[in-house]
Amino acid sequence: MLASRPDVNTPTYDSPTRFTMMFKHLTLTASLSALLMGLAPPALAAPQSISITGYRYSHIVRFMEDARYESSGVVIYPRQAQPAKIYDVSPHQVLKKIFPASVSGNGNDQATSNALWVNLLSSGLALGGSGNVRAHDVSSDFMVNVTWPANPGKDYYFAFYEHNIPEGRYISYAPKLLSGPNKDASVAGNSKLLAVGDAKTLWLDADGSLSQTGLVSGQLVIDNKATTLSGGPSNWAGTPLTAHLSSLIGFEEGKLYFLEGQSTLHVYDAELKFQRTDEIRMSGELRSTTLGDVIDGKVKGVSYIGWDLGPIVGFFSK
């Protein structure tokens, strides 16, 4: 069994980080065990307005899959314990040019940061899922990659744990795929693009299978051939992947994350082989609501950004 902890409100975990030059990879390791299936979630309070105070800029939180534990019949994903400044973030400065109406005062405050995040997430300019998925996962290794039609071919990227990234921070990327089943497909705004993760883009192929391409290179990395799910709940096993895309919320380290209902998380690998089911609940500020409500925009001032070894959530209250 996963280790049980009596206190679900106090974050007690931290993780080592590895910083790389291009994608600011954050590597998180932990021992995972025991498959949890068929566990009934407890009654949860109705969605509410949630406000985070005491921060100068936007506040971003990861709820940690790699430190999850069982408590009272559910699996708790604890709030990451980090110094406040780590996820106290003002995003890439180029966003101030893309969304000039978001700038308040001198542009270096929480109101500006929050408005930039909200407008970015609704704009379609962040590289991420564009298809018929439940949540558009625009995070890749604690990064967001931003396109801007005024400067085609430039990928303005920023890490959650860096502040006020200068406008000159960008890399060139292939606006169209250069190889693979979706060769010549446009990357930005393409409904076949399901998610980003591990510096790769995840694509739905014409035959209902998946392929992965390099986020920067546009070249095919992996061409998976499976089209039906192997194992898992009886109403999932043996069914087409395409029947469950409306539940997809993330892609990370070769794993696909599907949220069924409000709290039931099914995990499959990229070959569509079943890994586990968690009845998931988050600690900290979100302990009284559900991940489903957060993803579906039912919690005021809270936005889902994607999956990086756990859900990434932004608190953008005015």
Side-chain angles (χ1 to χ4, degrees):
M1 294 294 290
L2 295 172
S4 177
R5 298 186 56 88
D7 181 5
V8 302
N9 300 331
T10 303
T12 57
Y13 298 94
D14 206 344
S15 301
T17 60
R18 186 184 70 227
F19 193 79
T20 63
M21 187 63 185
M22 183 162 294
F23 287 103
K24 309 296 185 293
H25 243 71
L26 194 65
T27 300
L28 305 152
T29 60
S31 176
L32 302 179
S33 61
L35 299 179
L36 299 170
M37 298 182 60
L39 301 176
L44 298 174
Q48 57 185 305
S49 176
I50 295 178
S51 179
I52 300 294
T53 59
Y55 295 96
R56 186 175 178 185
Y57 308 108
S58 296
H59 192 59
I60 310 296
V61 172
R62 180 175 76 98
F63 293 86
M64 301 170 66
E65 174 190 3
D66 52 336
R68 71 193 197 281
Y69 59 90
E70 184 183 357
S71 177
S72 302
V74 297
V75 179
I76 306 297
Y77 281 51
R79 184 187 192 280
Q80 186 161 23
Q82 291 275 22
K85 65 179 182 179
I86 295 296
Y87 287 169
D88 188 16
V89 174
S90 179
H92 204 300
Q93 289 193 51
V94 76
L95 296 184
K96 296 175 184 176
K97 289 189 174 181
I98 299 176
F99 308 109
S102 297
V103 179
S104 300
N106 65 3
N108 196 30
D109 58 16
Q110 189 179 48
T112 294
S113 297
N114 287 349
L116 290 175
W117 269 107
V118 169
N119 284 322
L120 174 63
L121 293 174
S122 63
S123 68
L125 296 180
L127 286 178
S130 303
N132 183 29
V133 294
R134 184 167 183 180
H136 293 160
D137 178 3
V138 301
S139 63
S140 174
D141 306 313
F142 286 67
M143 297 284 301
V144 172
N145 299 78
V146 181
T147 62
W148 185 17
N151 288 313
K154 290 183 179 181
D155 177 358
Y156 296 89
Y157 64 98
F158 64 96
F160 298 159
Y161 48 92
E162 294 181 308
H163 169 66
N164 226 18
I165 307 306
E167 186 177 330
R169 169 76 69 80
Y170 68 88
I171 54 177
S172 297
Y173 79 108
K176 293 186 177 182
L177 299 187
L178 301 181
S179 62
N182 297 291
K183 182 181 178 181
D184 296 327
S186 295
V187 174
N190 196 312
S191 62
K192 293 183 179 180
L193 176 57
L194 300 181
V196 297
D198 313 318
K200 294 189 283 289
T201 52
L202 180 71
W203 294 81
L204 179 66
D205 300 339
D207 63 356
S209 65
L210 299 172
S211 58
Q212 301 174 41
T213 62
L215 182 63
V216 177
S217 69
Q219 298 285 359
L220 180 69
V221 177
I222 301 174
D223 189 6
N224 300 113
K225 297 300 185 182
T227 60
T228 59
L229 302 179
S230 174
S234 59
N235 60 327
W236 284 60
T239 60
L241 166 68
T242 52
H244 301 283
L245 288 180
S246 60
S247 297
L248 184 67
I249 64 170
F251 168 63
E252 178 71 18
E253 295 195 349
K255 302 293 192 302
L256 308 173
Y257 295 85
F258 300 88
L259 188 68
E260 184 177 31
Q262 294 302 300
S263 305
T264 305
L265 182 73
H266 303 305
V267 185
Y268 285 80
D269 67 17
E271 292 286 353
L272 308 186
K273 296 176 182 177
F274 177 72
Q275 303 296 300
R276 71 175 193 272
T277 290
D278 286 348
E279 289 296 337
I280 177 176
R281 183 175 174 182
M282 295 171 289
S283 70
E285 300 89 348
L286 299 180
R287 62 184 176 272
S288 62
T289 188
T290 67
L291 179 57
D293 278 344
V294 171
I295 284 175
D296 297 336
K298 295 180 179 180
V299 183
K300 185 178 180 180
V302 179
S303 297
Y304 179 77
I305 298 173
W307 196 277
D308 281 310
L309 286 179
I312 302 292
V313 176
F315 294 89
F316 304 136
S317 299
K318 298 296 184 182

